Amino acid sequence: MQITAIRSDQIYRTMMTAAPADKTDLYRQQLLGPFREKWDIQHIPFESDDGFDVVTMSNMMNIAPHNMDDSMKDQVTRIASESFWQSCQQAIEESLAQFTNHGIQLPVLHYTYTVLLGDMNRPLMRINEGLCGDGGIPGYIIANIVPDHERLARLPAVLAHECNHNVRYQFIRWNPNVTLAEMIVSEGLAENFAEAMYGQQALGPWVTRTDTDMLNQNVKPLIHDHLQLTGLQAISPYLYGDKIASMQSHATSAVGMPYAGGYACGYHLVHYYLKQTGISITEATLQSAETILAATGDFWHETTQVHRT
């Protein structure tokens, strides 16, 4: 198995001293280019004249190429040490080993990852509290971070979360008409996996910001009534919440879902499933959403207690 880091710190430093006219091309070719297959699978143009491509999409969350100058030196330095990249590598290696050590042969043998500098002035990054990731396309993992001590400490858990997605979709066939059921199960599996590796303190705000009353009185009924809804545009507000869906232009109207309600519901649903069945999170990762939902019918009618340490 080969795990390749795209050293964003080195590319950012090149960009900082490059001519303004060259910064975007450096970003596109050197930093986003190694993920070309991922963009193609997601039908995101690598370069386009119509205003939307991989760079404009990245700019919705991250530092834009034209802003990469000397003012970003401290941010780049925070992700530039050998120990930082070794910790990222170790998080991915250990995450994938959770499966291979349990006899699960992974079809994908080459993984490419990087860490992009997030922009806290971007609403999508701000609402996620400066740390998130993207790992749904097997073989490719991207983390987005506004680096400070706390977020850097939580980054391995985010990488573990994305590795879980990476493994799941090597065995579960992706469907563009994906159901809300599949998406909440997928996110629930990934966050339970990260928790199993790094502890409850590693849970992201997409879980921790939903309290007991909100989960039981608002989130669970909304999710349960729309489990069979299909297509990313339709399910986005139920998964991400109204605010994020509107930021991504995925929703034309609010549905009453708080921030990341579907993530929180998925986490508690999968936690319930693991407790009821006694199977491991690695085994559960390869289960279909239908299998997990069939074993968790009582979850929707019981009061779920949210415990935070």
Side-chain angles (χ1 to χ4, degrees), residues 12 72 78 130 138 176 296:
Y12 283 135
M72 298 304 302
R78 291 173 188 171
T296 52

Side-chain angles (χ1 to χ4, degrees), residues 5-21:
I6 305 303
R7 288 286 299 258
S8 56
D9 60 310
Q10 297 171 358
I11 298 167
Y12 283 135
R13 282 176 169 159
T14 299
M15 292 170 60
M16 287 167 63
T17 59

Side-chain angles (χ1 to χ4, degrees), residues 245-287:
S246 64
M247 291 174 193
Q248 295 176 325
S249 301
H250 282 166
T252 56
S253 61
V255 300
M257 183 65 71
Y259 163 76
Y263 278 64
C265 185
Y267 165 78
H268 290 287
L269 172 70
V270 170
H271 187 82
Y272 182 89
Y273 175 72
L274 297 175
K275 185 177 180 180
Q276 290 293 107
T277 62
I279 74 169
S280 68
I281 184 60
T282 52
E283 182 183 351
T285 298
L286 276 57
Q287 299 290 327

